[in-house]
Structure formats: C-alpha cells, structure tokens
C-alpha cells in the first residue's frame, strides 16, 4: 500500500495518529515516520509519473526525477533530525504541525502540476504557523498571524498566476515556465515571497525567531527551500534571479551584524544563504543548478544544526539575547562543539559541508563571467563567516562570562545535534555521494590547492578582522534593541497612516458624508452607463483574468483586513 | 555543583592564553598568505592571481561590513518595545 502513496503523505497521515498515542509509543511513531518515508522514496524509480483525473483535466499527482528526489531526501533527513531534537516534547500540537508541514513540503516537490503544487504550498503555510503559535504568547500570536498572511498571499498569487498561465497556454504542467507572461510573472513573485526575495523577505526574520525552541528548527528547513525547488523547476536560467540572489546574499548580513537576538541573526543569515541558491538557479547552467541543489542539501542540515544549538541555549537559559549571554562553553560544552561545527559548515571551511557546495555556485558564476556577482558572493562569504561563523558561537558561548551556570542540553537534543554534525563533516570530507544525487551530476573537485588556500585566506583574514575590530573597540557593542527593517512599512507606517486618516475623517464627518453621497451618485450613473452594451463592461469577461483579479482582490482585502 | 563550576578556572579564563590564541591566528594568517607563493593558482580572473588577494578581500570586506552596519544602526536602532 505504501508504494502507491504519494511521497510525503506518510508524514501527513501519520500525524493523525499522534494525538491517539502517548509516551514511548508516540515517540516510536514519530521516529518511524520519516524513516518509513525515506525508504519509500528510496524505492521509487526515477521517471515515475502518476496522473489523476480532476474534472476531466489530468493532474500529475506524482512525478519522480533527480531534482525532486534530491530535495525529497534532504527533507526527510531534516524531518528525522527535527523529530529527534523535539522528542522530549509532550506538546502534541507541535508534533502534528511539524509532521504535516514537512510532509506537505515533501509532497510539493513531487507533484507535476500547478494546482497540486498550490494545494501543498498552502498546506505548508497553514501547518507551519502552529509552530509559531505554539509558543502561546501575545507576541508569537501576532507574529504568527503576520507570517500566515504573507504565506497565504503567496499561495493566492500562485493560484492566480496558474489560472492565467492556463488560459494562455492550456497547460497546468509544472515544468520550466520562464518569465514570459503576466501569469508566470505572478508565479515568480509567489515563489519569491516564499524564498524571501529582497523586500519580500521580512516575514522570515519577523516570524522565525518568535517560534518555539524546536519550531524554529523545523521552520528553517522547509519553507524557503521549497521555494528554491520551485524556482529551480520553473525558472532555471531566468537572468533576473542573478541580481536578486546577489542582493539577498549581501543585504541581510548588515542586519545580522547589529542584531541582538541570536535566532534572528541566524534568520538573516538563512536569507543570505538562500541568496546563493537563487543566484545558482538564475545562472541556470548544469553546474549552477547542481550547485544550488547541493547547497540546499548542505544548508538544510547546518542551518538546522545552528538553530538547534541556539534553541538549546534558549531552553536552558531562557534567553537568546547576545546582551545576556556569554561564557556558556563552561556549562554547555557539547552544544558549543556542535554549534562550532555548524558555524564552520555555513562558513564553508574545508572539510565541512558548505565548502563542497557553495563553491559550485561561485565557480559557475565565474565560468559565465558574472564578475560583479562573483565579487558580491565572495563578499557575502566573508560576511557569513563573520556573523554566523564567529558572532553566533562567540557571543553565546565565549565573550563575557555572565555567570550563567546551566545544565547541558537534554540528551535527545544532543543526539540530534551530533547526527547533524556528523552529516556536516561527512558531506565535507566525502562529498561524492552528495554529488551523485545532483540532477546533472557534474564532475567537480572541491579539494584543489587553489580552492583550499584561497578559502583559508578569506576565512582566516575575516577572523583577523573581527579580532582587530574587537581589540580596538571599533566593533559595535551588543545593545538591547531592535532594528527597523522592511516590516516597518506594514507594522508601523501603514497602521499609522490608517489611524491618521480615520481621525481626520472623524473630525470632518458631516462634510465627508455629503461629498461621499455626491461621488457615489455620480459613480452609479457612470456605472449604469458602462454596463449597457456596447460599452466595455456590458460585454462578458473572459473567466481567466476575472478569476485572477478576484484572487488578487481577495489577497489585498485579507492583507488590509488583518493589518 | 554550580558553585564548584563557577569557581573552576578554565584555560580561556587566563588572558595569557587568549593572547596565545590571537597570536596563533596571526601566525596562521601569515602562513596561508605565504602558501600563495608555493603553488600554481588556477583561477578565473587576473586579479585573483595577486598575492594574498582573498586575504585582503576578506579582511577589507569584514571591516567594511562591520563599520557600515555600525552606521546603519544610527538610523535603524529602536527600543525593544517599539512595536508593542
């Protein structure tokens, strides 16, 4: 029976059993589901396509190829690591939410049409928000609502784009789309929201740090990487993605340097790492796409590892502010070690996973003569070592000893971090199995003398810069503060404008009513006139654009309603 | 147990050892630049052939990043309860 189930659904269906079980039985179920799913995926042959009939239109419920398999494997690995990390939790809501969310993300990479993609796209949004709400604070409830609104809007745009694309081409197939029409443009924006493109990015840094200790780890794995899968599938070689991705690698790291909440620092660096993948997809050569996929694979694991280590710190000390932390290596030595492994991996140190994946993208950029992009990526590589590689471990575990003496992280958390660390080092030391999983299986040797020496120069001199800035006191001290980002527009500016307008309107209500009556009367007159043939609105409208406008209006209404 | 571990002196608690770590880093930095003289570089761009290009680029990038972010803070920094 299990072979006929679309990949991912074993997690979604298994989640339904979680509330029925308690204790060891529940833990056994939680652990077995990702393993079962992984084995099922292993057995699925590449090239498999299974269609179902949907109101006379064939939808591709399952499509298995090298690209989807690579994402499927790493998503299952992430799901298993997350389960181990969260195994001590008694909160069934979080387990169910994590399983449905991971399952939906996996299912989404194995569908072959835009409508099925939309369904799982929205399911990931709805399931994941509970990982934020499960913190059960006023703050997390509001952050979760903002997160959900943005995510659902992305889905609505996807649906609108799909409908428009269908009316233009008669196809709902989710293959290469390219930026060729309004429909595919809407789909690209929808993917861009989930991938956290510049100015569409802020839901990520806003919401992820507000989730629970384990929830943030789960969130870090799937949403943005599902978007990278969708971009690689639909928009490989779309040139506009190169400058977008390059901006993503560079712009968030300035924020990461001055941010005080260490899980928010990691969210900014997540945004920066996803930028590398977007550049890879935009370049679109075989090496670049392989680089993007390899980087997803490495990134999902080391990012989860970093969030796990910060989660353990939050769990044990009750805070994740750099201003309140320091010296924890004395009481959490294992967590410190694992965090350093994650930090070395994200920084692309030789023998760690980032080293064998990120360089594919940089090499592809140089091969295609994207010189400025190459230099921006090099700048971002130095920067990521600075804020993720050094800042995170330094401020949490070293720096000033604040006298915090806590217990080491729980055993299951340590095991999850150990497994993730082993994978980070394993991939770094022996990258061949990862390279064989890639869609184009390019031949690439990361361990050339040039690559090793130049990388070490970049990284050690970044460390030297940090040391010099620290010793000279030029390094900006940690402050208990937040930094304004793009969410200021919808969290502050728009509501302020709204209340200003309401106040002004209240003060002049009589005059406004009179003016309103006049305008409405005239509009009604004009409306009647327009709706009589041969005027434009008297004609019947084609259904595609109408549905699109209806969907867009609905999205706009939803946004305005909740803000 | 807590009191005991609070009193315990760790290797890094000694400023002399911190200085050793820093000098170690300086030494490694010197070594990786000297290494540039000992092999034939295979790179894409002419400028990458300069001795220690990545070293200078990495150092300059980080100094720029931190000092620019410090200036940004003047504009962007708000109290923690700003949105509450």
């Amino acid at each position: 029976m299990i072979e006929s189930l679309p990949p991912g659904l074993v997690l979604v269906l298994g989640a339904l059993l979680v509330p029925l079980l308690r204790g060891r039985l529940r833990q056994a179920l939680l652990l077995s589901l990702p393993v079962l799913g992984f084995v099922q995926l292993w057995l699925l042959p590449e090239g498999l396509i299974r269609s179902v009939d949907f109101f006379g239109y064939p939808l591709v419920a399952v499509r298995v190829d090298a690209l989807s398999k690579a994402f499927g494997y790493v998503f299952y690995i992430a799901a298993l690591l997350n389960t181990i990390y969260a195994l001590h939790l008694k909160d069934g809501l979080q387990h169910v939410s994590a399983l449905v969310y991971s399952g939906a993300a996996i299912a989404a990479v194995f569908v072959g049409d835009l409508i099925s993609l939309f369904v799982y796209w929205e399911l990931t949004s709805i399931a994941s928000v509970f990982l934020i709400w499960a913190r059960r604070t006023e703050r997390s409830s509001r952050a979760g609502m903002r997160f959900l609104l943005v995510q659902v809007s992305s889905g609505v745009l996807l649906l609108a784009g799909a409908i428009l694309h269908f009316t233009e081409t008669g196809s709902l197939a989710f293959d290469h789309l390219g930026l060729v029409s309004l429909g595919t443009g809407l789909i690209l924006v929808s993917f861009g929201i989930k991938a956290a493109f510049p100015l569409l990015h802020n839901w990520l840094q806003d919401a992820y740090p507000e989730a629970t200790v384990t929830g943030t780890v789960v969130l870090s794995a799937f949403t943005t990487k599902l978007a990278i899968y969708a971009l690689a599938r639909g928009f490989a070689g779309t040139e506009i993605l190169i400058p977008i991705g390059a901006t993503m690698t560079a712009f968030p790291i300035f924020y990461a340097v001055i941010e005080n909440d260490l899980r928010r620092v990691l969210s900014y660096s997540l945004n920066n790492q996803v930028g590398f993948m977007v550049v890879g997809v935009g370049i679109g050569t075989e090496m670049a796409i392989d680089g993007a996929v390899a980087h997803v694979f490495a990134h999902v694991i080391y990012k989860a590892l970093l969030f796990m280590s910060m989660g353990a710190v939050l769990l044990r000390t009750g805070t994740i502010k750099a201003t309140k932390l320091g010296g924890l290596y004395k009481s959490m030595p294992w967590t410190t070690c694992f965090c350093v492994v994650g930090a070395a991996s994200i920084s692309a140190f030789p023998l760690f996973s980032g080293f064998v994946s990120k360089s594919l993208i940089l090499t592809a950029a140089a091969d295609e003569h994207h010189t400025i992009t190459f230099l921006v990526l090099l700048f971002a590589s130095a920067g990521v070592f600075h804020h993720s590689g050094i800042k995170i471990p330094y401020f949490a575990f070293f720096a000033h000893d604040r006298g915090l003496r806590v217990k080491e992280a729980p055993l299951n958390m340590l095991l999850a971090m150990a497994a993730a660390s082993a994978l980070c080092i394993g991939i770094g030391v022996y990258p061949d199995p990862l390279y064989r999983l890639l869609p184009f299986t390019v031949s690439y040797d990361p361990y050339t003398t040039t690559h090793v020496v130049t990388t070490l120069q970049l990284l050690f001199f970044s460390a030297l810069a940090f040391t010099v800035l620290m010793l000279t006191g030029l390094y900006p001290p940690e402050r208990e503060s937040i930094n304004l980002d793009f969410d200021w527009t919808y969290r502050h500016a728009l509501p302020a404008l709204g209340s200003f307008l309401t106040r002004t309107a209240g003060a002049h209500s009589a005059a406004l009513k009179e003016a309103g009556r006049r305008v409405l009367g005239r509009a009604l007159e004009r409306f009647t006139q327009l709706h009589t043939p041969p005027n434009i609105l008297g004609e019947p409208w084609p259904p595609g654009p109408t549905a699109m406008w209806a969907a867009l209006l609905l999205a706009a209404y939803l946004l305005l309603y909740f803000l | 147990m807590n009191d005991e571990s609070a009193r315990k002196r760790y290797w890094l608690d000694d400023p002399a050892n911190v200085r050793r770590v820093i000098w170690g880093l300086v030494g490694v930095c010197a070594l990786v630049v000297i290494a540039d003289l000992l092999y034939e570089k295979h790179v894409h761009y002419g400028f990458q052939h300069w001795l220690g290009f990545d070293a200078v680029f990495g150092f300059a990038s980080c100094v720029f990043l931190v000092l620019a972010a410090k200036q940004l803070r003047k504009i962007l920094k708000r109290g923690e309860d700003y949105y509450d």
Side-chain angles (χ1 to χ4, degrees):
Chain A
M1 185 211 103
I2 185 167
E3 0 21 293
S4 61
L5 204 62
L9 288 198
V10 65
L11 299 186
V12 178
L13 296 177
L16 302 177
L17 299 175
V18 170
L20 306 177
L21 301 172
R22 291 280 177 278
R24 298 264 172 217
L25 266 179
R26 179 192 270 184
Q27 293 184 338
L29 172 79
L30 290 171
L31 288 172
S32 60
L33 289 173
V35 177
L36 208 61
F38 190 94
V39 173
Q40 185 213 5
L41 180 56
W42 189 266
L43 298 174
L44 282 181
E46 271 178 36
L48 176 85
I49 288 187
R50 208 177 288 142
S51 299
V52 289
D53 202 63
F54 180 76
F55 296 113
Y57 189 88
L59 293 185
V60 184
V62 180
R63 177 227 347 240
V64 184
D65 64 6
L67 182 65
S68 48
K69 262 199 154 179
F71 278 84
Y73 284 135
V74 74
F75 280 178
Y76 272 122
I77 292 173
L80 181 62
L81 292 173
N82 296 339
T83 307
I84 301 172
Y85 186 73
L87 205 60
H88 65 285
L89 269 190
K90 301 235 181 330
D91 183 2
L93 175 72
Q94 289 191 61
H95 288 304
V96 172
S97 161
L99 282 173
V100 174
Y101 169 45
S102 342
I106 294 167
V109 305
F110 287 98
V111 296
D113 68 89
L114 292 164
I115 297 301
S116 312
L117 180 71
F118 163 76
V119 171
Y120 291 122
W121 198 261
E122 291 295 44
L123 187 55
T124 57
S125 313
I126 295 161
S128 59
V129 73
F130 288 95
L131 295 168
I132 302 164
W133 283 340
R135 206 158 172 199
R136 297 179 174 91
T137 60
E138 167 73 23
R139 214 180 146 79
S140 71
S141 125
R142 280 158 58 185
M145 188 47 88
R146 288 193 295 272
F147 168 82
L148 186 61
L149 272 175
V150 177
Q151 297 297 312
V152 169
S153 308
S154 157
V156 173
L157 283 172
L158 170 58
L159 184 63
I163 293 168
L164 209 57
H165 179 65
F166 179 69
T167 54
E168 280 164 8
T169 64
S171 162
L172 279 173
F174 182 34
D175 295 311
H176 183 77
L177 301 167
L179 183 53
V180 290
S181 62
L182 179 61
T184 54
L186 288 179
I187 297 175
L188 181 62
V189 175
S190 153
F191 294 173
I193 292 175
K194 257 202 174 24
F197 282 4
L199 303 189
L200 305 174
H201 66 284
N202 228 159
W203 59 266
L204 196 166
Q205 295 87 352
D206 178 21
Y208 281 12
E210 304 301 339
T212 62
V213 164
T214 55
T216 307
V217 179
V218 185
L219 284 166
S220 80
F222 301 104
T223 298
T224 49
K225 264 61 75 183
L226 172 57
I228 293 299
Y229 162 78
L231 286 170
R233 176 73 69 190
F235 295 95
T238 303
E239 291 232 328
I240 183 82
L241 292 177
I242 302 174
I244 290 176
T247 311
M248 285 167 78
T249 62
F251 155 71
I253 59 181
F254 292 93
Y255 276 92
V257 171
I258 49 176
E259 176 59 53
N260 190 34
D261 181 319
L262 294 181
R263 293 203 301 173
R264 192 158 276 127
V265 173
L266 287 179
S267 305
Y268 277 111
S269 94
L270 196 166
N271 205 187
N272 139 289
Q273 292 298 298
V274 172
F276 282 92
M277 302 160 201
V278 173
V279 170
V281 172
I283 295 171
T285 58
E286 293 193 347
M287 176 177 265
I289 297 290
D290 272 3
V293 178
H295 205 46
V296 167
F297 209 99
H299 166 91
V300 164
I301 299 168
Y302 63 62
K303 199 78 220 181
L305 174 56
L306 285 165
F307 271 117
M308 282 177 190
S309 67
M310 289 302 107
V313 168
L314 173 61
L315 178 76
R316 285 310 194 210
T317 66
T319 182
I320 198 62
K321 303 281 167 66
T323 38
K324 299 206 168 82
L325 293 170
L328 280 174
Y329 78 94
K330 295 175 181 174
S331 39
M332 303 179 80
W334 285 106
T335 307
T336 308
C337 286
F338 297 137
C339 178
V340 169
V341 171
S345 303
I346 194 174
S347 313
F349 248 96
L351 304 180
F352 293 88
S353 60
F355 181 75
V356 305
S357 59
K358 192 164 71 181
S359 49
L360 279 165
I361 300 171
L362 274 116
T363 308
D367 279 346
E368 300 300 305
H369 311 294
H370 295 291
T371 311
I372 295 176
T373 304
F374 175 82
L375 289 173
V376 172
L377 296 189
L378 208 58
F379 164 71
S381 302
V384 78
F385 177 50
H386 188 273
H387 66 76
S388 273
I390 305 176
K391 174 173 173 166
I392 291 284
Y394 181 77
F395 284 109
F397 299 109
F398 302 98
H400 323 280
D401 186 349
R402 313 241 180 220
L404 295 165
R405 292 296 177 269
V406 293
K407 277 207 292 192
E408 178 59 279
L411 181 66
N412 62 306
M413 287 190 167
L414 290 177
L415 282 176
M417 288 190 268
S421 302
L423 283 167
C424 285
I425 297 170
I427 292 172
V429 172
Y430 184 51
D432 285 358
L434 170 62
Y435 288 167
R436 275 201 297 276
L437 271 183
L438 302 178
F440 298 104
T441 49
V442 290
S443 66
Y444 176 74
D445 176 16
Y447 286 102
T448 62
T449 314
T450 307
H451 186 206
V452 172
V453 173
T454 52
T455 305
L456 288 178
Q457 283 187 7
L458 188 80
L459 296 180
F460 281 125
F461 276 82
S462 301
L464 190 66
F466 180 84
T467 314
V468 169
L469 291 167
M470 271 292 174
L471 292 176
T472 52
L474 283 171
Y475 197 88
E478 298 310 296
R479 287 270 183 268
E480 286 187 18
S481 62
I482 60 145
N483 298 299
L484 300 184
D485 197 345
F486 193 69
D487 57 348
W488 177 81
T489 50
Y490 55 85
R491 291 175 71 183
H492 187 88
L494 277 179
L497 182 70
S499 70
F500 169 75
L501 288 178
T502 326
R503 271 199 317 270
T504 323
H508 303 88
S509 73
L512 272 173
K513 268 184 202 155
E514 182 47 36
R517 245 178 245 128
R518 270 205 313 268
V519 172
L520 268 180
R522 238 177 275 155
L524 198 62
E525 216 170 276
R526 180 83 184 125
F527 184 78
T528 326
Q529 205 180 6
L530 275 174
H531 276 74
T532 327
N535 286 313
I536 174 165
L537 292 173
E539 307 292 331
W541 278 28
T546 316
M548 178 196 78
W549 285 113
L552 284 180
L553 280 175
L554 179 68
Y557 172 76
L558 268 175
L559 270 173
L560 288 175
Y561 179 79
F562 282 104
L563 286 178
Chain B
M1 182 207 115
N2 282 353
D3 287 343
E4 191 185 317
S5 73
R7 273 198 305 273
K8 187 173 161 190
R9 293 286 292 175
Y10 286 78
W11 189 77
L12 276 178
D13 284 337
D14 184 352
N17 289 330
V18 175
R19 273 198 298 279
R20 279 192 192 108
V21 171
I22 293 171
W23 281 114
L25 176 66
V26 173
V28 173
C29 284
L31 280 180
V32 290
V33 171
I34 294 166
D36 251 2
L37 300 168
L38 306 177
Y39 69 101
E40 194 189 341
K41 259 191 189 180
H42 297 282
V43 284
H44 287 84
Y45 298 108
F47 54 78
Q48 288 178 288
H49 281 287
W50 302 341
L51 176 71
F53 167 77
D54 288 81
V56 175
F57 192 89
F59 190 88
S61 292
C62 282
V63 171
F64 168 71
L65 172 68
V66 170
L67 297 184
K70 203 172 163 180
Q71 295 308 310
L72 269 182
R73 194 181 240 183
K74 290 184 183 160
I75 310 167
L76 301 174
K77 198 174 89 161
R78 294 292 183 280
E80 279 185 320
D81 54 356
Y82 178 76
Y83 286 118
D84 296 338

